[in-house]
């Protein structure tokens, strides 16, 4: 994966597969604190202790099509290579939280990548799931709440192609302020 | 500068469009593999290009996402289903090829044989 936005997309699909209805994504990108922190929290089916231990293992997957699952291990390796931290906490029936913290000025820390495209892609995947996305840096912040957007849309699907295009530009503008 | 107000206008346009196309069903369903293998190979820009083209040309096409299609070395993979359920599998896609598939297959109705899986696996 060339950048953080790609990893984010990949691990949020785990939340979708865990049948989450509400997914919170928080990104804190700070030069002052020398960190890029990514937190994904969902209300999906959750995992027991044993499964949590397993998901870090590349030879574990819940999928039956083949025997490897590289999403979480790839993300974790990348974060740890920068001297950062990676944690998963989960409760069966309640949901899962993944917290990854890169050391911002480390050689191996990938660029953030196209967060707007990642979010637009996630919203496109399923109009029944809600996202609360917040981005904070030392100088500004941006917040996107799909519940608020759906209220305005009044029954028009949030993943209509025209709306997705608009959303992507809206997020792009919000992040580049 | 975009604001949430723009959405109100888009909502009205979308509602009009929905009323107009109610009995005119979708011609094609396009599915993009978005598992770890697909994402790492560049499926996200492919999906976004498809969504963009469908929006810009107002095509009667649904674009959806799925997990691993099973041929990870040939990702990004795009499957096109027509109304009769016939499937065309495009492999090793990128945004440019995706735009070409939109023009030649989804608009003009011709399979783009040079990008299909049959070219790579017999």
């Amino acid at each position: 994966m060339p950048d953080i936005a790609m990893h984010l997309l990949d691990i949020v699909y785990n939340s979708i597969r865990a049948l989450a209805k509400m997914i919170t994504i928080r990104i804190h990108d700070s030069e002052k604190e020398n960190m890029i922190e990514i937190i994904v929290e969902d209300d999906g089916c959750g995992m027991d202790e044993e499964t949590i231990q397993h998901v870090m293992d590349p030879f574990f997957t819940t999928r039956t099509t083949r025997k490897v699952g590289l999403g979480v291990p790839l993300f974790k390796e990348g974060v740890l290579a920068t001297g950062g931290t990676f944690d998963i906490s989960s409760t069966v029936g309640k949901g899962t939280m993944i917290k990854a913290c890169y050391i911002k000025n480390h050689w191996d820390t990938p660029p953030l990548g196209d967060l707007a495209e990642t979010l637009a892609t996630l919203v496109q995947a399923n109009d029944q799931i809600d996202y609360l996305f917040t981005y904070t840096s030392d100088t500004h912040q941006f917040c996107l709440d799909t519940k608020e957007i759906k209220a305005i849309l009044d029954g028009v699907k949030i993943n209509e192609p025209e709306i997705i295009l608009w959303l992507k530009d809206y997020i792009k503008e919000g992040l580049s302020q | 500068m975009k604001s949430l107000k723009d959405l109100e206008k888009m909502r009205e346009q979308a509602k009009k469009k929905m009323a107009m196309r109610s009995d005119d069903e979708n011609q094609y369903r396009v599915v993009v593999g978005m598992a770890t293998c697909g994402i790492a190979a560049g499926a996200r820009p492919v999906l976004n290009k498809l969504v963009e083209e469908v929006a810009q040309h107002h095509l009667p096409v649904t674009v959806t996402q799925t997990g691993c299609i099973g041929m990870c070395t040939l990702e990004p993979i795009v499957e096109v289903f027509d109304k009769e359920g016939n499937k065309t599998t495009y492999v090793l896609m990128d945004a440019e090829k995706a735009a070409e598939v939109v023009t030649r297959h989804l608009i003009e109705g011709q399979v783009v044989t040079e990008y299909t899986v049959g070219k790579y696996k017999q």
Side-chain angles (χ1 to χ4, degrees), chain A residues 131-159:
Chain A
Y131 291 92
L132 179 62
F133 170 74
T134 52
Y135 171 88
T136 53
S137 72
D138 295 330
T139 50
H140 85 283
Q141 61 172 15
F142 172 74
C143 179
L144 179 88
D145 181 355
T146 59
K147 280 185 181 158
E148 187 188 356
I149 288 169
K150 284 178 187 174
I152 300 171
L153 287 175
D154 183 32
V156 170
K157 281 192 172 186
I158 193 168
N159 60 357

Side-chain angles (χ1 to χ4, degrees), chain A residues 42-97:
Chain A
D42 70 52
D43 62 353
C45 63
M47 294 176 282
D48 57 27
E49 262 310 310
E50 205 193 331
T51 315
I52 296 177
Q53 293 310 312
H54 273 140
V55 292
M56 313 273 194
D57 170 3
F59 297 102
F60 176 83
T61 180
T62 56
R63 169 176 50 200
T64 50
T65 47
R66 69 186 138 71
K67 290 184 179 140
V68 283
L70 293 173
V72 172
L74 274 178
F75 190 24
K76 187 187 170 190
E77 283 297 314
V79 174
L80 295 186
T82 73
T85 55
F86 189 91
D87 293 296
I88 300 182
S89 56
S90 189
T91 312
V92 174
K94 285 238 167 101
T96 299
M97 178 160 95

Side-chain angles (χ1 to χ4, degrees), chain B residues 8 17 20 26 29 55 60 82 102 104-105 108 114 117:
Chain B
E8 293 171 15
K17 204 178 83 184
M20 269 163 61
N26 276 338
R29 189 163 61 88
D82 67 14
V102 170
R104 289 169 59 189
H105 193 158
E108 293 165 9
E114 58 265 42
V117 66

